[in-house]
Amino acid sequence: MTEHDGLNIVPTGRPPSIPATLVRDFTPDLIDVGTHHLCPGCGEPVAMRAALEVIAELGVVQRTVGVFGIGCYTAFSNNLDVEVLQALHGRAPSLATGVKRAKPGTFVFTVQGDGDMVNEGLQEVIHTAARGENVTCIMLNNGVFGETGGHMTATTVIGQRTKNTLEGRNAEDHGNPILLANMIAGLDGSAYVARGAVNNAHNVALTKQMITAAFESQIARRGFSFVEILTMCPTGWFVETTEAPAYLGDNLAAVHQIGVLKELARA
Ligand SMILES: Cc1ncc(C[n+]2csc(CCOP(=O)(O)OP(=O)(O)O)c2C)c(N)n1
Ligand code: SF4
Ligand SMILES: [Mg+2]
């Protein structure tokens, strides 16, 4: 018996009784391809995976329609095994509203970034929440317009370096960040609101619980549900890939705090 990273390993000449598992075998059933072109260390694939796993676990695949905004995450819209609609920038909540109203039995979720949702289409999600539309919106918040080069968005935190705030965002010149989940939690019509993150295993598990609660809220027809997920963007943040999870925890999550902000009592 040998010690290796704290594990007891028993040497054996026999082949393993269970075949070795390749990384690609962990690809969720609802993602058709095992590879993507997003940057190494990007948090968005982790968040997408969590959402897709929950859809499969809840058994709603056949009646699901995903509505995608425009950002790096849109890469996934072409290779999912659920129905997908592509919205114009920021308009996914309105498109989701239309789908749900036309076909109330449909399970509807959106995937948008902070640039798409908070900059380019803020009114869409606010009105959708206030109307209490029975859809779930997911916002992947990395504090930058990732796909177009890493510029400041409305959620960028004070001090954060972006392509157009090279010395860090400052309130005097660039204004203050909008904490969207907190705003939505304050609206009548929102039934479930939470903010998670994918910068470590604990937070990924927590975020998956939040997505599950939000989706169950929609299935129970409680009204609008919202999950904001803080995701790493090492490319846009000017930080090393390996440092991005800690950067997220120390900077983004210090302002956009992780937790369940609102949960209507279950009937
Ligand atoms: C109306 C319109 N304006 C601008 C663009 C360019 N554009 C494409 S993706 C993107 C950034 C999206 O940022 P975000 O939603 O935060 O997603 P991320 O790439 O960070 O995941 C922008 C500005 C566009 N496609 N359409
Ligand atoms: S630019 Fe940022 S958000 Fe886009 S794929 Fe790269 S790390 Fe992910
Ligand atoms: Mg973004």
Side-chain angles (χ1 to χ4, degrees), residues 40-216:
C42 179
E44 294 185 347
V46 185
M48 281 304 310
R49 174 196 176 118
L52 292 164
E53 285 179 349
V54 176
I55 289 167
E57 287 164 14
L58 293 176
V60 293
V61 175
Q62 297 303 324
R63 59 189 180 96
T64 292
V65 175
V67 184
F68 275 67
I70 303 171
C72 291
Y73 44 86
T74 311
F76 285 97
S77 65
N78 285 330
N79 54 39
L80 299 187
D81 204 9
V82 295
E83 296 298 330
V84 168
L85 294 174
Q86 177 64 62
L88 294 174
H89 240 321
R91 314 301 164 210
S94 298
L95 193 46
T97 297
V99 172
K100 191 73 172 189
R101 288 192 176 204
K103 292 180 77 73
T106 311
F107 179 82
V108 185
F109 73 104
T110 73
V111 180
Q112 299 168 261
D114 47 316
D116 183 89
M117 183 181 268
V118 192
N119 283 73
E120 307 212 38
L122 182 57
Q123 66 173 6
E124 308 282 327
V125 69
I126 294 290
H127 285 275
T128 303
R131 291 193 306 267
E133 301 291 345
N134 192 36
V135 298
T136 305
C137 290
I138 295 175
M139 175 176 61
L140 308 180
N141 183 6
N142 52 20
V144 282
F145 285 100
E147 188 176 5
T148 40
H151 301 85
M152 188 189 93
T153 68
T155 72
T156 302
V157 300
I158 299 298
Q160 186 180 332
R161 294 182 68 207
T162 72
K163 277 276 168 57
N164 53 343
T165 60
L166 290 174
E167 304 301 322
R169 179 177 190 169
N170 71 75
E172 190 182 352
D173 293 327
H174 313 121
N176 293 290
I178 292 174
L179 311 188
L180 186 61
N182 305 62
M183 282 176 68
I184 289 178
L187 295 172
D188 291 338
S190 62
Y192 181 87
V193 181
R195 185 184 289 116
V198 293
N199 61 326
N200 58 45
H202 169 85
N203 282 342
V204 171
L206 185 68
T207 300
K208 196 171 164 188
Q209 288 174 10
M210 291 168 172
I211 295 169
T212 303
F215 285 177
E216 286 177 343

